Amino acid sequence: MSTPGRTGDTRQGLELAPFRGLRYVPERVGSLAAVTSPPYDVVVRPDGLRHLETADPHNIVRLILPQAATAADRHRQAAETLRRWQDERILAADPEPALYVYEQRGDGILQRGLIGALRLSPREEGVVLPHEDVMPHIVEDRAALMRGTGANLEPLLFSYRGNGGEGGAAGVIERVTRTAPLLSTTTDDGYAHRLWSITDPDDLRRVGEDLSRQQALIADGHHRWATYLRLRAEQPAGSPWDFGLVLLVDTARYPLRVRAIHRLLHNLPVAEALAAASTAFRVRTLEGSLPEALDALAEAVGKDGNAFVLAGDGRFHLLDTPDPALLARTVPTDRPEAWRTLDATVLHSVLLEHIWHVPDDPEHIGYIHETAAAVEQAERHGGTAVLMHPVCEDVVRELAEQGVTMPRKSTSFGPKPATGLVLRSLALN
């Protein structure tokens, strides 16, 4: 596969290039499971971070979430750690460039996809479809980390829709998974992970031809994709920075699971949130457990439209049936109806901005993937957890194809690839 420049390239669709994967040497670590981590933004600080740091002295979290007094020190520390681990052969590069077949199995899910270096393309080309806005301070932090380490430390999760046939990339993946894997491990969450390499030129050609007719939706990794684009702009055309590490999953064969990302309002007690929201929403205190509260939330969303569960005072409170007149006044009208009726849109435009007056910045709002963790942190610190119901993938894709972005952190696609199974060093590729 060639490495195209950024100008004069008329090819359409996805280009996934092989690369020399940088991987842990099994004999040099306690176990492959002990050195992996969820993606950087899923690690629940500080408990999750401490758990990963103590699981193995070489856990990948020391690269993706280094701990130091300042941002500059953190990024310098990550770069030094990565160099040291390569010098000590904790991490070693595979002998030849490859695409990697990655499989996750667990919790009733089988997911398979291709890990490779995807040619970067701006949004206007319509090859890669983002669906969420990003926060500049996160992009800046990730850019400094990638710039310092000279590496893509974790694959982004992208989806595409294949034709459902057995040829092309799908046929290569299915055949490769019948051979012995490069690695196999089971992580603490119960998921089994396997990885294979594809180096045969004919297989690479078949995959390339198939993907050249596809477009991809960013399922997880908007900030890191924005980071890739920023770093590419800093380099001359034709450099390794023209590509970024991704996992491509054909959701026609392996549908992703879509979950919500919940909000933690650090400085807003539940009592104040309920009192203010009651002027525009129906408010009911629920009986029962967290799963029962989520069931009530799903029922309310299906019946009455927008709904949320608030938690943090030891109980669960359902907000539903918003005032239509208030929605008409506060939700922007310059977007499609599918966007205007999103729970995330109503949460940010109506509740956060108009009713609660909560600024959308890290000092006031945290974004948490795990429901129980959001509730626990709200109860511990006296804030309010806003629990959300997930959006279906078809709505996400429909909006993305129209060029409409959802409010940031609107969705959580999964299962997410484990971080640490394969890295991409820009110096090697």
Side-chain angles (χ1 to χ4, degrees):
M1 289 187 182
S2 63
T3 302
R6 276 172 278 178
T7 59
D9 188 357
T10 60
R11 280 174 286 182
Q12 302 298 311
L14 302 171
E15 181 181 346
L16 193 67
F19 69 102
R20 291 181 64 196
L22 190 62
R23 298 190 293 112
Y24 280 99
V25 178
E27 297 78 14
R28 301 285 288 158
V29 297
S31 73
L32 290 175
V35 295
T36 64
S37 163
Y40 80 99
D41 58 339
V42 180
V43 177
V44 179
R45 300 189 192 201
D47 296 341
L49 184 61
R50 283 197 295 267
H51 170 75
L52 292 167
E53 286 181 327
T54 57
D56 188 284
H58 302 109
N59 188 283
I60 194 70
V61 77
R62 297 180 185 274
L63 298 182
I64 63 172
L65 288 173
Q67 299 300 294
T70 67
D73 287 342
R74 290 195 298 272
H75 305 140
R76 183 165 49 250
Q77 178 176 296
E80 293 171 354
T81 299
L82 179 58
R83 283 194 295 270
R84 184 174 72 254
W85 287 359
Q86 291 180 82
D87 291 343
E88 297 173 356
R89 287 196 58 78
I90 304 300
L91 291 166
D94 284 335
E96 59 182 320
L99 295 180
Y100 296 86
V101 175
Y102 175 48
E103 176 188 276
Q104 293 164 278
R105 188 188 296 265
D107 194 22
I109 289 178
L110 171 64
Q111 178 172 288
R112 289 172 176 160
L114 291 166
I115 294 178
L118 184 68
R119 181 177 65 86
L120 307 183
S121 59
R123 178 175 183 166
E124 53 268 22
E125 288 186 11
V127 176
V128 173
L129 304 175
H131 69 269
E132 289 184 357
D133 294 329
V134 298
M135 292 176 267
H137 73 281
I138 296 179
V139 175
E140 181 61 39
D141 177 76
R142 292 294 101 182
L145 178 65
M146 287 190 206
R147 196 183 294 115
T149 57
N152 301 152
L153 300 173
E154 45 188 343
L156 286 57
L157 177 60
F158 282 26
S159 72
Y160 71 99
R161 293 280 177 84
N163 60 17
E166 295 294 332
V172 173
I173 290 171
E174 296 307 312
R175 181 173 52 76
V176 167
T177 55
R178 293 194 290 269
T179 66
L182 291 175
L183 65 84
S184 178
T185 190
T186 301
T187 45
D188 287 346
D189 57 7
Y191 275 86
H193 307 259
R194 296 197 293 172
L195 192 75
W196 296 260
S197 64
I198 303 174
T199 57
D200 179 78
D202 188 55
D203 285 341
L204 294 174
R205 178 188 57 77
R206 290 172 61 194
V207 170
E209 290 177 353
D210 188 358
L211 295 181
S212 69
R213 298 185 291 269
Q214 307 291 343
Q215 63 178 182
L217 176 72
I218 302 178
D220 184 70
H222 284 82
H223 288 91
R224 286 166 289 169
W225 180 255
T227 299
Y228 287 171
L229 294 174
R230 172 180 292 192
L231 294 174
R232 183 188 70 161
E234 299 174 0
Q235 305 294 326
S239 81
W241 294 95
D242 283 351
F243 293 76
L245 187 64
V246 305
L247 165 64
L248 276 174
V249 175
D250 178 359
T251 54
R253 298 179 69 86
Y254 301 105
L256 296 176
R257 177 178 291 174
V258 188
R259 290 177 169 164
I261 301 177
H262 311 292
R263 275 58 171 166
L264 177 61
L265 311 183
H266 301 298
N267 305 317
L268 182 65
V270 174
E272 293 182 22
L274 292 172
S278 64
T279 61
F281 285 75
R282 181 172 62 173
V283 176
R284 290 177 285 163
T285 299
L286 304 172
E287 301 293 336
S289 62
L290 175 57
E292 290 171 318
L294 295 177
D295 287 342
L297 175 61
E299 182 179 353
V301 168
K303 183 190 304 180
D304 299 318
N306 304 114
F308 312 92
V309 165
L310 305 191
D313 61 352
R315 297 180 296 174
F316 301 103
H317 311 273
L318 179 66
L319 273 58
D320 64 359
T321 320
D323 177 6
L326 180 62
L327 295 180
R329 291 198 309 272
T330 56
V331 176
T333 59
D334 60 345
R335 306 287 179 88
E337 181 70 10
W339 182 90
R340 300 184 72 246
T341 56
L342 289 170
D343 286 336
T345 298
V346 172
L347 172 63
H348 284 260
S349 298
V350 181
L351 282 166
L352 293 176
E353 183 176 339
H354 183 80
I355 293 178
W356 291 331
H357 306 291
V358 174
D360 191 0
D361 60 52
E363 181 181 346
H364 293 88
I365 303 179
Y367 294 85
I368 300 180
H369 292 73
E370 294 298 327
T371 311
V375 174
E376 188 273 333
Q377 290 196 36
E379 291 178 347
R380 179 189 298 178
H381 301 293
T384 295
V386 182
L387 307 184
M388 312 277 288
H389 187 69
V391 182
C392 71
E393 181 182 355
D394 287 344
V395 172
V396 176
R397 186 175 291 275
E398 174 192 341
L399 289 171
E401 289 173 348
Q402 296 178 59
V404 177
T405 55
M406 300 166 66
R408 52 180 167 257
K409 298 294 182 182
S410 292
T411 60
S412 176
F413 284 84
K416 303 179 190 303
T419 298
L421 296 180
V422 59
L423 290 64
R424 176 176 177 254
S425 169
L426 278 294
L428 298 171
N429 296 277

